Protein backbone atom coordinates (compact mmCIF):
# COMPACT_ATOMS: atom_id res chain seq x y z
CA UNK A 1 0.00 0.00 0.00
CA UNK A 2 1.46 3.37 -1.03
CA UNK A 3 2.05 6.16 1.50
CA UNK A 4 -0.58 8.93 1.53
CA UNK A 5 0.32 12.18 -0.25
CA UNK A 6 0.54 15.51 1.53
CA UNK A 7 -2.72 16.58 -0.10
CA UNK A 8 -4.44 13.51 1.36
CA UNK A 9 -3.01 14.33 4.81
CA UNK A 10 -4.39 17.89 4.63
CA UNK A 11 -7.84 16.53 3.69
CA UNK A 12 -7.63 14.05 6.57
CA UNK A 13 -6.75 16.78 9.11
CA UNK A 14 -9.53 19.04 7.84
CA UNK A 15 -12.01 16.18 8.18
CA UNK A 16 -10.87 15.78 11.81
CA UNK A 17 -11.83 19.38 12.54
CA UNK A 18 -8.50 21.17 12.05
CA UNK A 19 -8.60 24.37 10.02
CA UNK A 20 -7.17 24.43 6.52
CA UNK A 21 -4.48 26.97 7.47
CA UNK A 22 -3.28 24.92 10.46
CA UNK A 23 -3.45 21.67 8.47
CA UNK A 24 -1.29 23.17 5.70
CA UNK A 25 1.20 24.53 8.23
CA UNK A 26 1.39 21.15 9.97
CA UNK A 27 1.96 19.24 6.72
CA UNK A 28 4.29 21.92 5.26
CA UNK A 29 2.30 22.61 2.09
CA UNK A 30 1.47 25.96 0.52
CA UNK A 31 -2.17 26.96 -0.13
CA UNK A 32 -1.53 27.41 -3.86
CA UNK A 33 -0.10 23.89 -4.15
CA UNK A 34 -3.05 22.47 -2.20
CA UNK A 35 -5.66 24.22 -4.34
CA UNK A 36 -3.92 23.50 -7.70
CA UNK A 37 -5.89 21.34 -10.10
CA UNK A 38 -3.90 19.85 -13.03
CA UNK A 39 -4.97 21.00 -16.47
CA UNK A 40 -5.51 18.34 -19.14
CA UNK A 41 -2.58 18.15 -21.58
CA UNK A 42 -3.69 19.99 -24.72
CA UNK A 43 -0.93 18.31 -26.74
CA UNK A 44 -2.24 14.76 -26.28
CA UNK A 45 -4.17 14.66 -29.56
CA UNK A 46 -1.31 16.29 -31.50
CA UNK A 47 1.21 13.86 -30.01
CA UNK A 48 -0.94 10.93 -31.10
CA UNK A 49 -1.14 12.28 -34.65
CA UNK A 50 2.65 12.73 -34.74
CA UNK A 51 3.19 9.14 -33.58
CA UNK A 52 0.67 7.86 -36.16
CA UNK A 53 2.46 9.71 -38.97
CA UNK A 54 5.89 8.50 -37.78
CA UNK A 55 4.66 4.89 -37.80
CA UNK A 56 3.16 5.26 -41.27
CA UNK A 57 6.19 7.07 -42.74
CA UNK A 58 9.18 5.51 -40.98
CA UNK A 59 11.76 7.56 -42.91
CA UNK A 60 10.12 10.91 -42.06
CA UNK A 61 11.76 13.07 -39.43
CA UNK A 62 10.21 15.87 -37.37
CA UNK A 63 10.49 18.34 -40.27
CA UNK A 64 8.62 16.13 -42.72
CA UNK A 65 5.94 15.28 -40.15
CA UNK A 66 5.43 19.01 -39.52
CA UNK A 67 4.91 19.52 -43.26
CA UNK A 68 2.45 16.60 -43.37
CA UNK A 69 0.46 18.18 -40.52
CA UNK A 70 0.37 21.51 -42.33
CA UNK A 71 -0.62 19.70 -45.52
CA UNK A 72 -3.60 18.24 -43.64
CA UNK A 73 -4.66 21.72 -42.52
CA UNK A 74 -3.28 21.50 -38.98
CA UNK A 75 -2.20 24.92 -37.67
CA UNK A 76 0.76 24.05 -35.46
CA UNK A 77 4.15 25.54 -34.61
CA UNK A 78 7.18 23.59 -35.85
CA UNK A 79 8.88 24.00 -32.45
CA UNK A 80 6.00 22.18 -30.76
CA UNK A 81 6.23 19.39 -33.31
CA UNK A 82 9.99 19.07 -32.69
CA UNK A 83 9.46 18.96 -28.93
CA UNK A 84 6.67 16.37 -29.04
CA UNK A 85 8.56 14.29 -31.60
CA UNK A 86 11.60 14.15 -29.30
CA UNK A 87 9.48 13.58 -26.18
CA UNK A 88 7.85 10.57 -27.84
CA UNK A 89 11.31 9.04 -28.40
CA UNK A 90 10.97 9.06 -32.18
CA UNK A 91 13.92 9.18 -34.55
CA UNK A 92 14.92 8.15 -38.06
CA UNK A 93 17.54 5.42 -37.75
CA UNK A 94 20.54 5.78 -40.02
CA UNK A 95 20.96 2.94 -42.48
CA UNK A 96 24.29 1.34 -43.18
CA UNK A 97 25.54 1.43 -46.74
CA UNK A 98 24.49 -1.67 -48.62
CA UNK A 99 27.22 -3.95 -49.92
CA UNK A 100 27.42 -7.09 -51.99
CA UNK A 101 25.94 -10.01 -50.01
CA UNK A 102 28.23 -12.22 -47.97
CA UNK A 103 27.34 -15.16 -50.21
CA UNK A 104 29.56 -13.67 -52.92
CA UNK A 105 32.78 -14.20 -50.90
CA UNK A 106 35.39 -16.43 -52.55
CA UNK A 107 38.33 -18.31 -51.03
CA UNK A 108 41.88 -17.19 -51.82
CA UNK A 109 43.14 -19.60 -54.46
CA UNK A 110 46.08 -19.09 -56.77
CA UNK A 111 44.94 -19.11 -60.42
CA UNK A 112 46.64 -21.30 -63.01
CA UNK A 113 47.12 -18.58 -65.64
CA UNK A 114 47.56 -14.84 -65.95
CA UNK A 115 44.57 -12.50 -66.19
CA UNK A 116 42.23 -14.81 -64.34
CA UNK A 117 42.12 -12.91 -61.04
CA UNK A 118 43.55 -9.50 -60.15
CA UNK A 119 43.81 -8.08 -56.67
CA UNK A 120 43.42 -4.35 -56.02
CA UNK A 121 43.90 -2.00 -53.11
CA UNK A 122 44.92 1.57 -52.23
CA UNK A 123 48.17 2.64 -50.57
CA UNK A 124 48.46 6.21 -49.28
CA UNK A 125 51.46 8.53 -49.10
CA UNK A 126 52.18 12.29 -49.23
CA UNK A 127 54.22 14.67 -51.33
CA UNK A 128 56.67 17.14 -49.81
CA UNK A 129 54.01 19.86 -49.66
CA UNK A 130 51.69 17.53 -47.73
CA UNK A 131 49.29 16.60 -50.53
CA UNK A 132 47.89 13.06 -50.35
CA UNK A 133 48.94 10.49 -52.95
CA UNK A 134 46.39 7.73 -53.39
CA UNK A 135 48.14 4.81 -55.08
CA UNK A 136 45.93 2.22 -56.76
CA UNK A 137 47.86 -1.06 -56.76
CA UNK A 138 46.84 -3.91 -59.09
CA UNK A 139 48.47 -7.35 -58.89
CA UNK A 140 47.94 -10.49 -60.97
CA UNK A 141 47.31 -13.35 -58.50
CA UNK A 142 48.84 -16.01 -60.77
CA UNK A 143 52.08 -14.31 -61.87
CA UNK A 144 52.44 -11.79 -58.99
CA UNK A 145 53.09 -9.08 -61.58
CA UNK A 146 52.38 -5.50 -60.61
CA UNK A 147 49.85 -4.90 -63.38
CA UNK A 148 49.65 -1.21 -62.48
CA UNK A 149 50.40 1.31 -59.77
CA UNK A 150 48.42 4.47 -60.37
CA UNK A 151 49.41 7.40 -58.10
CA UNK A 152 46.45 9.72 -58.49
CA UNK A 153 43.61 11.09 -56.39
CA UNK A 154 41.17 8.47 -57.60
CA UNK A 155 37.53 8.21 -56.66
CA UNK A 156 34.79 5.73 -57.47
CA UNK A 157 34.06 7.38 -60.83
CA UNK A 158 37.69 7.39 -62.03
CA UNK A 159 38.42 3.73 -61.19
CA UNK A 160 36.57 2.25 -64.21
CA UNK A 161 38.45 4.66 -66.48
CA UNK A 162 41.80 3.38 -65.19
CA UNK A 163 40.72 -0.25 -65.67
CA UNK A 164 39.59 0.45 -69.23
CA UNK A 165 43.04 1.90 -69.96
CA UNK A 166 44.67 -1.28 -68.61
CA UNK A 167 42.38 -3.35 -70.83
CA UNK A 168 43.89 -1.75 -73.94
CA UNK A 169 47.37 -3.10 -73.20
CA UNK A 170 46.79 -6.22 -71.09
CA UNK A 171 43.14 -7.16 -71.37
CA UNK A 172 40.75 -7.61 -68.48
CA UNK A 173 40.72 -10.38 -65.87
CA UNK A 174 37.84 -12.75 -65.26
CA UNK A 175 37.58 -11.54 -61.67
CA UNK A 176 38.93 -8.80 -59.40
CA UNK A 177 39.42 -9.26 -55.64
CA UNK A 178 39.18 -6.19 -53.37
CA UNK A 179 38.29 -5.12 -49.87
CA UNK A 180 35.04 -3.30 -49.01
CA UNK A 181 36.30 0.22 -49.77
CA UNK A 182 33.73 2.69 -51.03
CA UNK A 183 35.49 3.01 -54.40
CA UNK A 184 35.30 -0.76 -55.02
CA UNK A 185 31.64 -0.98 -53.91
CA UNK A 186 30.48 2.11 -55.78
CA UNK A 187 27.66 2.02 -58.29
CA UNK A 188 30.08 3.06 -61.04
CA UNK A 189 32.34 0.08 -60.32
CA UNK A 190 29.47 -2.40 -60.11
CA UNK A 191 28.01 -1.12 -63.38
CA UNK A 192 31.41 -1.31 -65.11
CA UNK A 193 32.03 -4.89 -63.94
CA UNK A 194 28.57 -6.06 -65.01
CA UNK A 195 28.92 -4.48 -68.46
CA UNK A 196 32.30 -6.18 -69.09
CA UNK A 197 31.55 -9.54 -67.50
CA UNK A 198 34.12 -9.17 -64.72
CA UNK A 199 33.29 -10.78 -61.40
CA UNK A 200 33.95 -8.86 -58.18
CA UNK A 201 35.26 -10.84 -55.21
CA UNK A 202 34.94 -8.95 -51.92
CA UNK A 203 36.82 -10.09 -48.84
CA UNK A 204 35.10 -10.14 -45.46
CA UNK A 205 35.40 -6.89 -43.47
CA UNK A 206 38.36 -6.89 -41.10
CA UNK A 207 40.07 -9.90 -42.75
CA UNK A 208 42.92 -8.59 -44.96
CA UNK A 209 44.46 -12.09 -45.02
CA UNK A 210 41.75 -13.00 -47.55
CA UNK A 211 43.48 -10.60 -49.94
CA UNK A 212 46.99 -11.78 -49.06
CA UNK A 213 48.57 -11.29 -52.51
CA UNK A 214 47.92 -7.55 -52.65
CA UNK A 215 48.68 -7.10 -48.93
CA UNK A 216 52.10 -8.71 -49.42
CA UNK A 217 52.79 -6.56 -52.47
CA UNK A 218 51.71 -3.39 -50.66
CA UNK A 219 54.21 -4.15 -47.90
CA UNK A 220 57.06 -4.46 -50.40
CA UNK A 221 55.88 -1.36 -52.25
CA UNK A 222 55.86 0.77 -49.12
CA UNK A 223 59.14 -0.58 -47.76
CA UNK A 224 61.16 -0.49 -50.97
CA UNK A 225 59.67 2.53 -52.73
CA UNK A 226 57.46 4.88 -50.73
CA UNK A 227 59.63 4.88 -47.60
CA UNK A 228 62.80 5.27 -49.66
CA UNK A 229 61.83 8.41 -51.58
CA UNK A 230 60.75 11.94 -50.77
CA UNK A 231 58.36 13.03 -53.52
CA UNK A 232 58.53 16.71 -54.37
CA UNK A 233 55.40 16.62 -56.54
CA UNK A 234 52.80 14.30 -57.98
CA UNK A 235 54.70 14.09 -61.26
CA UNK A 236 57.89 13.17 -59.41
CA UNK A 237 56.00 10.44 -57.55
CA UNK A 238 54.55 9.04 -60.78
CA UNK A 239 58.00 8.76 -62.39
CA UNK A 240 59.66 7.13 -59.37
CA UNK A 241 56.80 4.70 -58.73
CA UNK A 242 56.55 3.60 -62.38
CA UNK A 243 60.33 2.99 -62.47
CA UNK A 244 60.09 0.88 -59.32
CA UNK A 245 57.14 -1.09 -60.77
CA UNK A 246 59.15 -1.99 -63.87
CA UNK A 247 62.11 -3.03 -61.75
CA UNK A 248 59.83 -5.13 -59.54
CA UNK A 249 58.34 -6.94 -62.54
CA UNK A 250 61.45 -7.40 -64.65
CA UNK A 251 64.44 -7.55 -62.27
CA UNK A 252 63.46 -8.18 -58.66
CA UNK A 253 63.76 -11.90 -57.77
CA UNK A 254 60.83 -13.32 -55.83
CA UNK A 255 61.28 -16.27 -53.47
CA UNK A 256 57.75 -17.60 -53.94
CA UNK A 257 58.43 -17.80 -57.70
CA UNK A 258 61.63 -19.80 -57.32
CA UNK A 259 63.85 -16.73 -57.46
CA UNK A 260 62.44 -15.55 -60.79
CA UNK A 261 61.11 -12.02 -61.36
CA UNK A 262 57.36 -11.89 -62.02
CA UNK A 263 57.65 -11.13 -65.77
CA UNK A 264 59.95 -14.10 -66.38
CA UNK A 265 57.68 -16.33 -64.33
CA UNK A 266 54.67 -15.14 -66.36
CA UNK A 267 56.44 -16.18 -69.60
CA UNK A 268 57.30 -19.60 -68.19
CA UNK A 269 53.75 -20.07 -66.93
CA UNK A 270 52.31 -19.18 -70.34
CA UNK A 271 54.79 -21.53 -72.06
CA UNK A 272 53.90 -24.32 -69.62
CA UNK A 273 50.15 -23.89 -70.16
CA UNK A 274 50.62 -24.14 -73.93
CA UNK A 275 52.43 -27.48 -73.57
CA UNK A 276 49.70 -29.01 -71.36
CA UNK A 277 47.66 -31.73 -73.05
CA UNK A 278 43.91 -32.04 -72.38
CA UNK A 279 44.47 -34.92 -69.92
CA UNK A 280 47.34 -33.18 -68.10
CA UNK A 281 46.99 -32.53 -64.37
CA UNK A 282 47.07 -28.73 -64.52
CA UNK A 283 46.48 -28.39 -60.77
CA UNK A 284 49.94 -29.88 -60.11
CA UNK A 285 51.76 -26.89 -61.68
Amino acid sequence: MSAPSRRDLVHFLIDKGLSEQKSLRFVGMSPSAFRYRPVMDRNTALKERIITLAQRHRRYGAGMIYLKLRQAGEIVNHKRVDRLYTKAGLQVRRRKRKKIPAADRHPLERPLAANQVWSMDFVFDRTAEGRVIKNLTVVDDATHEAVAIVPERLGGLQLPRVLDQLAKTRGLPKAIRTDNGKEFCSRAMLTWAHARGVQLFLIEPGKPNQNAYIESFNGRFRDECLNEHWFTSMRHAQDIIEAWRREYNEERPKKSLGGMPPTAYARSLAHKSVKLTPDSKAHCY
Side-chain angles (χ1 to χ4, degrees):
M1 183 176 179
S2 60
S5 65
R6 291 194 296 173
R7 187 188 300 275
D8 294 335
L9 288 174
V10 172
H11 283 296
F12 175 77
L13 293 174
I14 293 174
D15 292 340
K16 291 297 182 180
L18 200 65
S19 67
E20 180 182 297
Q21 185 178 4
K22 290 182 179 180
S23 299
L24 291 172
R25 188 182 303 116
F26 179 80
V27 175
M29 189 176 186
S30 66
S32 59
F34 175 69
R35 299 190 182 99
Y36 174 76
R37 294 294 180 268
V39 180
M40 186 179 65
D41 187 5
R42 61 191 180 93
N43 292 319
T44 302
L46 177 60
K47 185 177 179 180
E48 291 178 356
R49 285 196 292 274
I50 290 174
I51 293 174
T52 302
L53 285 172
Q55 291 174 344
R56 184 186 306 166
H57 308 284
R58 293 185 298 174
R59 304 306 299 172
Y60 282 9
M64 285 292 291
I65 289 178
Y66 164 73
L67 294 177
K68 289 292 291 183
L69 290 170
R70 293 299 298 266
Q71 188 181 62
E74 184 82 22
I75 306 301
V76 62
N77 187 277
H78 68 91
K79 296 178 182 178
R80 181 183 296 180
V81 174
D82 287 341
R83 177 169 54 83
L84 295 177
Y85 182 89
T86 304
K87 189 176 180 180
L90 301 172
Q91 63 175 340
V92 179
R93 298 189 180 275
R94 296 185 63 182
R95 288 176 175 169
K96 293 184 178 179
R97 181 167 57 91
K98 292 184 179 180
K99 297 182 179 180
I100 291 180
D104 289 336
R105 315 291 180 186
H106 292 266
L108 182 66
E109 296 178 351
R110 186 166 178 179
L112 302 176
N115 273 20
Q116 289 190 349
V117 181
W118 290 356
S119 293
M120 294 196 310
D121 199 4
F122 285 107
V123 181
F124 292 85
D125 200 32
R126 290 183 179 274
T127 60
E129 66 268 21
R131 299 188 66 186
V132 175
I133 304 176
K134 191 174 184 180
N135 298 283
L136 171 67
T137 54
V138 185
V139 171
D140 190 301
D141 287 7
T143 65
H144 291 195
E145 294 173 282
V147 177
I149 305 177
V150 185
E152 292 185 15
R153 296 174 180 86
L154 294 171
L157 297 177
Q158 290 79 24
L159 188 55
R161 172 178 57 82
V162 171
L163 294 173
D164 281 335
Q165 291 177 349
L166 289 176
K168 296 177 181 178
T169 57
R170 187 182 175 95
L172 288 174
K174 295 180 180 179
I176 296 177
R177 179 180 286 106
T178 67
D179 59 19
N180 293 269
K182 61 181 181 180
E183 296 88 354
F184 302 132
C185 297
S186 67
R187 183 177 299 178
M189 184 64 183
L190 296 176
T191 302
W192 175 89
H194 178 74
R196 286 155 182 77
V198 177
Q199 288 183 277
L200 295 180
F201 297 164
L202 294 184
I203 66 173
E204 296 179 64
K207 294 187 177 180
N209 58 303
Q210 295 182 359
N211 205 5
Y213 295 133
I214 195 69
E215 292 293 335
S216 176
F217 173 79
N218 288 345
R220 301 281 71 77
F221 174 46
R222 182 170 294 283
D223 182 57
E224 299 177 11
C225 182
L226 298 182
N227 291 347
E228 288 294 308
H229 296 90
W230 190 61
F231 303 123
T232 58
S233 64
M234 178 65 77
R235 182 60 187 175
H236 181 219
Q238 291 171 344
D239 293 340
I240 294 294
I241 290 172
E242 178 59 22
W244 181 86
R245 186 189 73 86
R246 292 181 179 276
E247 180 184 351
Y248 178 90
N249 284 340
E250 300 170 7
E251 302 177 21
R252 185 186 184 280
K254 194 169 178 63
K255 292 181 181 180
S256 61
L257 302 181
M260 300 173 63
T263 300
Y265 179 78
R267 287 195 294 266
S268 67
L269 190 64
H271 182 67
K272 188 182 299 184
S273 63
V274 169
K275 285 189 174 183
L276 287 176
T277 58
D279 59 345
S280 296
K281 297 180 179 180
H283 64 273
C284 296
Y285 290 88

